[in-house]
Amino acid sequence: YHNNIDKEAGEVLYQRFVDHVKYSDLAGALHYVYIPVFVAREMAAGFHTLKVSFDESSTNGHTLFIKRQNVKNDPKNDYTLFVVNLPPYCGKIGLENIFSECGEIKSILIKDQPGPDEAEKTDIIKWLNKEKYIFKVAYILFKETESVETALEMSSAVVRYMSTESRPILSGIKKWIHEYKNRYPNESTMQLIIDTYMKDFDQNNIKKKDNNEPNDEGWTTIPVKKSASTEKPKITRKMKKKEKKERIEKELMNFYVFQQREIKRDQIAELRRKFEEDKKRIAMLRQQRKFKPF
């Protein structure tokens, strides 16, 4: 190791370099060759290192970095172990094998990068999304707080194995066969998931409408309440009778031919009368018009 790099920081630097070379990521490997000294120390600060290997026959090791979760206002901090630099071939079974001696594990959450908990994806979404073969992080939730302390006190010199005889991790052709069989979900399973989802979706929509809550698109359904009629029955009947009488008289007004002729004649006479009045008015205005230049 370099004189300015302590042993733990040097191990972090070297292990990251080996991992990137192992997965043919030369650009990432060169990044750790030229990384400054203070960055290497910062990577190791606050973390406890664990040496792990795939199984007893593996010659190459790997280093995990663990510490207690420190999320603001999270009551699970005392029960959760935060794991960094998790290889893609180490899943929940591998983590359970490594930390089995620490205590009972309630749940394990593996993510591509640190961050807040997101809504759990449905099984259909999990099947559609391809798994990313990258180094990940994990959140291990223990039943007791003492389990986290036990994990942080585990010796860094002892190599622990991800795959054991009692609980092996599939690899090679067995893993490929398993992934091929599970590429697509079973039809009955998918139908059950779809029916359950649609049932919950319909129930939520009905609940939102009853409570006048906005739907997923932001629209709010406002019920229309019809007001009761305030008119008295006698008045309503009189009005209907009067309207009926007026409608009958209007229909019979232009029923006969002579009635139509009389109406047209009266209309023409009215137009001629208005025309004569307009002519007289224009002639009077012309007589009153005088030219006054000054």
Side-chain angles (χ1 to χ4, degrees), residues 139-157:
Y139 297 88
I140 304 175
L141 180 63
F142 289 96
K143 187 177 181 180
E144 304 292 340
T145 57
E146 292 78 6
S147 300
V148 179
E149 294 293 339
T150 305
L152 295 174
E153 292 174 358
M154 295 170 71
S155 176
S156 300

Side-chain angles (χ1 to χ4, degrees), residues 68-133:
R68 188 188 300 275
Q69 177 183 269
N70 186 18
V71 179
K72 189 176 180 180
N73 298 328
D74 191 347
K76 297 180 181 179
N77 285 339
D78 296 335
Y79 299 87
T80 306
L81 186 70
F82 180 51
V83 184
V84 183
N85 198 34
L86 187 68
Y89 51 83
C90 179
K92 293 183 179 181
I93 296 177
L95 290 173
E96 289 174 354
N97 291 335
I98 294 171
F99 297 100
S100 59
E101 61 187 67
C102 299
E104 184 179 351
I105 298 174
K106 293 180 66 176
S107 64
I108 297 176
L109 177 63
I110 300 175
K111 302 180 65 175
D112 295 343
Q113 55 186 3
D117 294 343
E118 299 175 354
E120 187 176 355
K121 297 179 180 178
T122 60
D123 293 336
I124 297 176
I125 301 299
K126 291 178 181 178
W127 277 309
L128 293 176
N129 292 340
K130 292 184 178 180
E131 184 180 358
K132 297 180 181 179
Y133 289 93

Side-chain angles (χ1 to χ4, degrees), residues 24-58:
S24 301
D25 185 7
L26 298 180
L30 291 174
H31 171 74
Y32 288 99
V33 172
Y34 297 104
I35 191 170
V37 176
F38 66 89
V39 176
R41 287 180 175 175
E42 185 67 19
M43 288 166 55
F47 284 92
H48 177 66
T49 59
L50 281 182
K51 289 184 178 180
V52 297
S53 186
F54 183 75
D55 56 17
E56 294 181 356
S57 62
S58 300

